[in-house]
Amino acid sequence: MTSVLPAHRADRASADASATAWALAARGGDPDAADHFVRALHGDVLRYVTYLSGDAQTAHDLTQDTFARAFGSLHRFEGRASARSWLLSIARRAVADSLRRAAVRPRIADAVDWRTAQESAQPCGLPGFDEGVALLDLLGTLPEERREAFLLTQVVGLSYEEAAGFVGCPVGTVRSRVFRARATLDRLVRDSETSGVLAA
């Protein structure tokens, strides 16, 4: 039987169905299924929390926290939504909790200027690093709702329908947010290139 979905959409639907089946099997105590579940969705969660938090340094910790929370509540997962949507909602809460904790935590460092020390400890000179930092900076200028819609559809790869269900708004609203986010990012890139901040 031939799928009526475009190839990439069909592949995504198949991957989602597999991940959901692995989650349900892991809920039943299958360790191999648990491993497949993590491997299938680890990259999506890592990308999502990296962009939501704006901090690549803590993204791996947030990803681990997301999976720890997921396994802690896996007994309640019934497969009504895809495992990926369910996991991303957990990731969203993990990032929100992390940001709340960071807001009240005192910043302590032995260096005179902890910001300078932190920035000098960042990796640089890696292929694509500067472009990744520039993209994070540009995404950070978007309103939160537009940024999330853009990340879910353009980075994580959810369909507009899935993203709408995830954030709880109409599909048309998601399409509008993504359109406006793209327009803003295009304008910012053009402005940056004109001013010489970014390489052409």
Side-chain angles (χ1 to χ4, degrees):
M1 180 173 162
T2 304
S3 172
V4 296
L5 293 173
H8 67 282
R9 292 280 303 279
D11 290 345
R12 176 62 77 182
S14 175
D16 278 352
S18 295
T20 301
W22 285 325
L24 291 170
R27 184 185 69 172
D30 183 341
D32 289 334
D35 183 58
H36 283 297
F37 168 64
V38 172
R39 290 176 185 272
L41 297 173
H42 186 274
D44 285 345
V45 172
L46 180 60
R47 283 190 297 275
Y48 186 55
V49 299
T50 298
Y51 284 109
L52 276 189
S53 67
D55 185 358
Q57 299 297 313
T58 62
H60 289 282
D61 291 339
L62 287 168
T63 300
Q64 288 182 353
D65 183 28
T66 297
F67 279 101
R69 292 180 184 211
F71 280 105
S73 58
L74 194 57
H75 62 282
R76 293 196 299 271
F77 178 67
E78 297 179 355
R80 290 197 196 100
S82 73
R84 187 159 57 114
S85 294
W86 174 70
L87 196 57
L88 292 178
S89 68
I90 294 173
R92 187 193 215 187
R93 287 192 297 273
V95 171
D97 290 345
S98 173
L99 293 174
R100 276 193 290 270
R101 286 192 301 270
V104 299
R105 184 185 310 127
R107 301 183 184 273
I108 301 172
D110 292 333
V112 175
D113 182 355
W114 68 268
R115 285 186 188 274
T116 302
Q118 181 187 38
E119 289 170 4
S120 65
Q122 301 294 318
C124 57
L126 301 175
F129 178 79
D130 292 335
E131 291 83 354
V133 170
L135 179 59
L136 281 175
D137 288 343
L138 292 177
L139 287 171
T141 66
L142 296 174
E144 183 178 347
E145 291 178 341
R146 292 182 193 173
R147 181 171 64 247
E148 184 172 37
F150 181 86
L151 292 173
L152 287 171
T153 57
Q154 309 305 304
V155 177
V156 176
L158 294 183
S159 69
Y160 287 107
E161 292 78 10
E162 289 172 319
F166 182 75
V167 299
C169 69
V171 175
T173 301
V174 172
R175 290 185 188 278
S176 174
R177 289 174 182 174
V178 172
F179 175 81
R180 291 173 184 273
R182 281 180 173 162
T184 300
L185 292 173
D186 285 344
R187 179 178 52 77
L188 290 172
V189 168
R190 282 196 307 272
D191 291 349
S192 296
E193 287 174 345
T194 300
S195 64
V197 173
L198 294 178

